[in-house]
Amino acid sequence: MKKRFVALLMTLALAIGFTTSAFAAEPAKSETINLTSVSEEVDSVSASEDVSTRASLGDVIAGGATTIYGGSGTLTVTLPSGNFWADIVAQIGYTDQNSVVTCSVLTPNGQTISLGSMVGTGSSTYSRELTYAPAGNYTFYFSSGITTPYQVAAFIYD
């Protein structure tokens, strides 16, 4: 519910911002525009969108990390209690090879969810939202052509 409320507030704020900017007067022809301040505004907007995207996932309620010694491996994350509207994400911690790593997760109730793929240190899958995430073990399956050890992590957000 908290995520839905935050998303609604962000949508409302964006709608008000677009409405306000639509009625703003255009600068007079003799007026000069400071391009430096325009680019600073764009940079701050992109940075705040990145932070708000991560913040919208909520609090980490379960997580773990491990090293996979080339090829494929698993990581088990235990969710101590069930949770509505949970988000699941996988991430590469470190790798010295830029190769595709695919990830899927097996939930405690036997459902297999594909999280997609990622490439390179620090990359992550898109989050997958579960209407209800039951308590128990979530086994994340990582598969790659990477031949050296690589670090992975998996998180479940509230």
Side-chain angles (χ1 to χ4, degrees), residues 80-142:
S81 61
N83 189 279
F84 285 96
W85 305 112
D87 293 295
I88 299 176
V89 177
Q91 180 177 17
I92 299 174
Y94 173 78
T95 178
D96 62 356
Q97 297 178 5
N98 281 335
S99 182
V100 175
V101 177
T102 59
C103 182
S104 61
V105 61
L106 178 64
T107 65
N109 59 356
Q111 181 182 11
T112 300
I113 300 167
S114 173
L115 295 178
S117 59
M118 52 202 153
V119 177
T121 298
S123 64
S124 62
T125 63
Y126 288 106
S127 66
R128 290 290 306 263
E129 185 176 63
L130 302 178
T131 305
Y132 180 74
N137 291 331
Y138 288 75
T139 304
F140 291 79
Y141 293 89
F142 296 90

Side-chain angles (χ1 to χ4, degrees), residues 22-38:
F23 295 108
E26 289 187 34
K29 300 227 186 262
S30 63
E31 212 175 305
T32 59
I33 298 173
N34 182 351
L35 293 178
T36 305
S37 65
V38 171

Side-chain angles (χ1 to χ4, degrees), residues 30-99:
S30 63
E31 212 175 305
T32 59
I33 298 173
N34 182 351
L35 293 178
T36 305
S37 65
V38 171
S39 70
E40 287 172 358
E41 289 174 19
V42 170
D43 290 343
S44 66
V45 169
S46 339
S48 66
E49 285 174 351
D50 184 41
V51 170
S52 67
T53 301
R54 282 184 273 146
S56 67
L57 289 176
D59 299 325
V60 175
I61 53 176
T66 191
T67 300
I68 297 175
Y69 293 93
S72 303
T74 62
L75 168 63
T76 300
V77 174
T78 302
L79 183 62
S81 61
N83 189 279
F84 285 96
W85 305 112
D87 293 295
I88 299 176
V89 177
Q91 180 177 17
I92 299 174
Y94 173 78
T95 178
D96 62 356
Q97 297 178 5
N98 281 335
S99 182

